[in-house]
Amino acid sequence: MAMSLSLIVLPLLAILPSSYASRKPAMLGTGSSLSVEDYKQTFLTSPNSDFTCGFYEVGGNAFSFSIWFTNTMEKTVVWSANPKSPVNGHGSMVLLNHDGNLVLTDVNGTVTWDSKTGSGKGTTVGLLDTGNLIIKDSNGAVLWESFSSPTDTLLPFQPLTKATRLVSGY
């Protein structure tokens, strides 16, 4: 019985890793970064692969750090860190620094956007299945989330309160 079960299960296990190997992790720790030159790569992908986070080209040499729907013909952006201040296509980067602050810098090192978090070592940044980009401290407490500063699109499960300000990229 155990022999026949292993004959069924083992071939299935050989198939699974190839589909998961190319996935970008759903959480990254301090020191994680993405350079704008690598904009075709993703910074994060949600566990269900519905959302992707990384650099989005908004012009000839202009990029925003954004979240978009993964499986659409054109990238449909649902949130941007810097919708009104795109960064240069050379030398810019996004970094979860060792202080626990997610920072977007332009080519000259100028900070164009940051999460204003600082919980130190053990901080993680993640992209949830809902499309919410979150920053957690080492105890798992959410310090910042993109749902709290909506741009472009409201997503299901995203709270909209009277104090929320929605900003459009147009």
Side-chain angles (χ1 to χ4, degrees):
M1 178 71 171
M3 177 75 142
S4 61
L5 184 59
S6 67
L7 291 174
I8 294 169
V9 173
L10 286 177
L12 291 175
L13 290 176
I15 296 170
L16 288 175
S18 64
S19 64
Y20 290 101
S22 62
R23 280 195 183 170
K24 193 75 175 166
M27 284 282 186
L28 295 172
T30 54
S32 300
S33 66
L34 179 66
S35 171
V36 72
E37 286 88 359
D38 298 323
Y39 75 94
K40 291 186 180 181
Q41 295 180 23
T42 58
F43 187 63
L44 287 166
T45 301
S46 63
N48 64 6
S49 298
D50 285 349
F51 295 95
T52 302
C53 178
F55 281 104
Y56 175 76
E57 190 170 12
V58 295
N61 189 34
F63 290 82
S64 66
F65 179 63
S66 301
I67 300 168
W68 58 86
F69 286 107
T70 304
N71 298 317
T72 56
M73 292 294 282
E74 292 186 26
K75 292 179 180 177
T76 304
V77 173
V78 299
W79 178 84
S80 293
N82 57 324
K84 297 196 187 310
S85 318
V87 293
N88 192 294
H90 301 285
S92 302
M93 70 180 309
V94 64
L95 162 73
L96 181 62
N97 67 23
H98 291 288
D99 294 333
N101 192 18
L102 188 62
V103 180
L104 177 64
T105 56
D106 210 341
V107 64
N108 60 2
T110 303
V111 175
T112 61
W113 177 89
D114 72 295
S115 61
K116 296 176 181 43
T117 54
S119 62
K121 191 174 179 176
T123 304
T124 58
V125 60
L127 185 58
L128 304 180
D129 286 339
T130 58
N132 192 10
L133 183 69
I134 60 166
I135 299 173
K136 291 183 176 183
D137 67 14
S138 58
N139 296 320
V142 175
L143 302 171
W144 178 90
E145 59 184 332
S146 61
F147 274 13
S148 294
S149 56
T151 62
D152 300 304
T153 305
L154 287 174
L155 295 171
F157 307 108
Q158 184 172 2
L160 181 62
T161 65
K162 68 180 181 178
T164 303
R165 183 173 171 230
L166 180 62
V167 179
S168 173
Y170 295 103

